Amino acid sequence: MKYYLINFFVLLFCSSLVYGQSTGHTDFNNDWKFFKGEVKDGQSPTLDDSKWRTVQIPHDWAIEGPFSKEYNARCGGLPFHGEGWYRKSFTLTNTQKGKHIAIEFEGVMKNSEVWINGHYLGKRPFGYLGFEYDLTPYLHQEGMNIIAVKAKPEDLSSRWYPGAGMYRKVWLNINNDIRVAHWGTFVTSTNVSAKVASVNIQLEIQNFKAADQIVSVVQTIKNNLGETVKELQHKTVAEGSKTINSQQSFNLIQPQLWTLTSPHLYQLETELKDKDGKILDRYTTKFGVRSIQFTANDGFFLNGKRTELKGVCLHHDLGPLGTAVNRRATERQLEIMKEMGVNAIRTSHNPPSREQLELCDEMGILVIDEAFDEWGIQKIENGYHTIFDEWHERDLTDMIRRDRNHPSIIMWSIGNEIREQKEKDGWKVALKLGEICHREDPSRPNTAGFNQYENSIKNKLAHHVDIVGFNYKAAKYAEIKENYPDWIVYGSETESITSSRGVYHTPFLEKYEKNTDHQVTSYDIIGPIWSYPPDMEFKFLEENPSILGEFMWTGFDYLGEPTPYGGRDNSTNGYWNDDWPNKSSFFGPVDLCGFKKDRFYLYQSQWTDTPMVHLLPHWNWKGFEGKEIPVFAYTNAESAELFLNGKSLGKKVKGVDKGIVPIKFSYYEGPYNYPSPYRLRWDVPYEKGELKVVAYNGDKVVSEKVINTTSKAKNIELTADRKIISSANGEDLVFVTARALDTEGHFCATYNGQIQFSVTGDGTFEATGNGDPASLILPENKKLKFFNGMALVIARANKGDGGKIIISATGKGLKKAQISVETKANPKEL
């Protein structure tokens, strides 16, 4: 079976859908009433909710805080558990009356229950997947209708911050009695080349009427310029009270392929018409055409081109915004990852938001779409194992049906570090979940992330996935490939090095478990026993080129799991509050606010080609005069030269002059003081002034970086991520970075004084942050402290015709700063 699957998935496939939606897909996110707490008969139409808060969906109640040791630091120290109620009243318009109407939730965290006019519609325990309920039988055609939603997330139900409530969008789907079914399109392509691609469209048509009806199906394919490239028509019988399948195939001539650098998307417009030509439904599906190929010896190929997976794992929170999904915030995260050189993400450890997948499609980023962190054996007291038996098939099926047409997705992950690895019959669960994947989508392989190296092999779980993912086993790649040469293998989770932005502890290159300041040095050498610096993954991937690539843990810091503080390891049950106030992770090369740590540039030096050089640490070391400070440069150039106050300290050649870093981790038998070919190092006796690094290709200067010893902070520099944002729907955000500068304009990298923001004009204040994993200042506060010279404010554009948002910042002893951002109603102008 294993050899069959390997050969099967070496074939070329394309699966493509951005997001299918009907013309009746209606925004239902405004003016919800919210109450946090238990409510007797909260579903009752007669309940008085006039004193409840009015909120806009998406909404995460837990990010409002407070941060408290009463809650679990493993989950961000925030009140994500308990009970919350949402209610919305609405009346049907004349055009909606008599229609078939359903409500669609993209995700409710968690244990949601829904009522319409007091009638119970159902429950959904898993918070990461969307679902739809039919409202039609219970709607009032005249007068008021009341939707009620209860969410009841439990304590000890997550190993990270999950958020709480209606944190993803809600829609009304208003249709005729015959429609394209929910998630009812599936487009695949085979035999893909620059000349032609064989495209197959599977369509599900749902008939709510009892009688059969002949339906004309008209399908139009358009390119990204809106030009029609293919039209298809056929008739079918929509059987009464059933969902029927329809299928069409055609050749697409000279297709514009979906690639990482040019992610072209087509659009499929499906119209259902009755015998008189009246349109019953119009359903739009964006899609891309591409081929994927996995090989045991040569790695992964996209459109026939070998592509190393330079991936990151991402949790779903958005830092200061919590888990409330926002398209721009998600886009900004992905932009920062692409700048680092990332070409793939693993949605750890749950199904992602619609917005994230849409953006990956549009931006050219590959995706491993992950379903579960637990199967039937417990990791945490109230984890997914409590519902696995009842819900796993429905949840996995729905994830694949929802997402199976995104061209960005290349694998389905059925689990992460599941405990069944230690069970003799654990392979049976892996086989069953894999069969669901093959049934719902034969065009992609399945995978899992195994952390128990010996057990996953001994108990045959690794034998029953199509692509084998190993977590933190870089030192075993050669052994795995020697013993199982036909396996297709990659690093599903790698590194897990921890660091705090701008922190450098003394002694400088000492490995330790914890530090008294609740931070971790940014020399990128500290991590749990299973973890290792990026240098090790780079080394073992170079030595084993058949490995597909890696997904490092994690692209961004995230709320919860403040390793090494509070917990022991990922198997630790219960609370992680031993080292409060630590409440967020240190794993990312980018902090909670999107500010880059030093490690960002180490990856960039290996994963990108545009010349760059980075220099660390900062150069404010009063009291260390004459003492040696380890100075590192990360560059993708051939060599670099360091200067202190204009005097050369020598040129070093990358890969030849190796920077010594301490390394120790599980399965590693190499030297503790590892000579890294990926870092350049100078040991520099400290004197204040200017430290400068110049990078060369041959004799040509291609990049340089300067850092200075600074005087007292006097100024604030404000920089917006964009100069113009959209006011079209009132959802667009601008992220403004504040940096503390001295009188000469140098960045004050150790400044931790206070700053206060204000937002006026055509926008509203959304949140603040500083990236400090030990800060208890809530994002709703406009006053906070700089963390190592930086802070962030987020503002939201008001819905309307546009104008200007004015962001101001003040601080004691600092000159006031101000910046304006333009908002425009037409997003096409951006």
Side-chain angles (χ1 to χ4, degrees), residues 188-356:
T188 56
S189 299
T190 56
N191 303 316
V192 175
S193 71
K195 294 182 178 180
V196 66
S198 300
V199 180
N200 180 264
I201 303 171
Q202 296 181 41
L203 176 68
E204 293 183 346
I205 301 172
Q206 190 171 16
N207 186 358
F208 294 106
K209 290 184 176 181
D212 295 353
Q213 183 168 336
I214 297 175
V215 176
S216 295
V217 180
V218 180
Q219 295 179 303
T220 305
I221 296 88
K222 298 181 178 180
N223 63 21
N224 62 352
L225 299 177
E227 301 166 337
T228 297
V229 296
K230 190 71 176 181
E231 287 186 339
L232 305 167
Q233 294 189 40
H234 72 284
K235 290 184 178 181
T236 188
V237 177
E239 297 180 52
S241 303
K242 289 185 178 180
T243 298
I244 63 108
N245 295 310
S246 172
Q247 186 165 301
Q248 289 281 91
S249 296
F250 66 95
N251 285 335
L252 185 61
I253 306 301
Q254 294 183 325
Q256 298 183 60
L257 300 185
W258 186 92
T259 70
L260 299 183
T261 55
S262 181
H264 184 274
L265 295 169
Y266 289 94
Q267 183 166 289
L268 167 67
E269 294 180 357
T270 300
E271 289 184 341
L272 306 182
K273 298 181 179 181
D274 66 11
K275 58 183 178 62
D276 297 321
K278 177 184 176 182
I279 296 176
L280 303 171
D281 194 10
R282 181 182 289 115
Y283 193 90
T284 301
T285 306
K286 289 184 179 179
F287 69 95
V289 175
R290 55 89 177 117
S291 68
I292 57 175
Q293 180 183 8
F294 299 88
T295 69
N297 296 323
D298 299 318
F300 169 71
F301 291 79
L302 177 66
N303 300 320
K305 179 181 179 181
R306 188 183 186 281
T307 303
E308 180 184 353
L309 299 179
K310 302 172 182 177
V312 297
C313 300
L314 285 180
H315 270 317
H316 70 298
D317 77 71
L318 297 170
L321 300 174
T323 61
V325 174
N326 178 274
R327 181 180 174 88
R328 172 54 196 162
T330 305
E331 180 181 47
R332 176 175 177 259
Q333 280 195 341
L334 296 175
E335 286 173 348
I336 293 168
M337 292 292 92
K338 285 200 72 170
E339 184 183 352
M340 191 171 78
V342 168
N343 64 11
I345 66 168
R346 176 185 177 214
T347 68
S348 311
H349 301 292
N350 49 262
S353 68
R354 168 182 58 86
E355 287 84 349
Q356 187 177 66

Side-chain angles (χ1 to χ4, degrees), residues 537-555:
E537 191 72 26
F538 299 155
K539 162 185 162 63
F540 288 115
L541 285 176
E542 286 180 3
E543 293 175 359
N544 298 276
S546 66
I547 304 299
L548 303 181
E550 66 162 313
F551 290 80
M552 58 83 62
W553 189 263
T554 53

Side-chain angles (χ1 to χ4, degrees), residues 512-523:
Y512 55 81
E513 292 187 3
K514 300 176 184 178
N515 194 276
T516 55
D517 67 357
H518 293 257
Q519 303 294 343
V520 181
T521 183
S522 196
Y523 275 110

Side-chain angles (χ1 to χ4, degrees), residues 60-68 72-80 128 158-164 314-324 333 348 350 553-563 565 576 580-588 590-593 767-779:
D60 173 8
W61 83 56
I63 197 62
E64 300 168 6
F67 290 116
S68 174
N72 195 348
R74 186 178 198 171
C75 300
L78 287 163
F80 74 91
Y128 292 104
S158 177
R159 296 194 300 119
W160 54 86
Y161 176 69
L314 285 180
H315 270 317
H316 70 298
D317 77 71
L318 297 170
L321 300 174
T323 61
Q333 280 195 341
S348 311
N350 49 262
W553 189 263
T554 53
F556 269 67
D557 281 350
Y558 54 92
L559 291 164
E561 286 193 315
T563 307
Y565 298 101
W576 277 29
W580 190 257
N582 290 92
K583 69 0 170 149
S584 62
S585 81
F586 297 78
F587 290 116
V590 179
D591 71 16
L592 282 173
C593 292
T768 57
N770 61 12
D772 181 359
S775 171
L776 298 184
I777 300 173
L778 286 169

Side-chain angles (χ1 to χ4, degrees), residues 508-509 523 525 535 630-632 652 656-663 671-683:
F508 291 106
L509 290 177
Y523 275 110
I525 58 173
D535 317 56
V631 174
F632 286 88
K652 295 183 182 290
V656 177
D657 299 303
K658 301 176 181 179
I660 303 296
V661 289
I663 292 180
Y672 175 75
N673 289 313
Y674 173 69
S676 173
Y678 312 105
R679 312 190 199 198
L680 300 177
R681 174 179 171 178
W682 296 260
D683 292 319

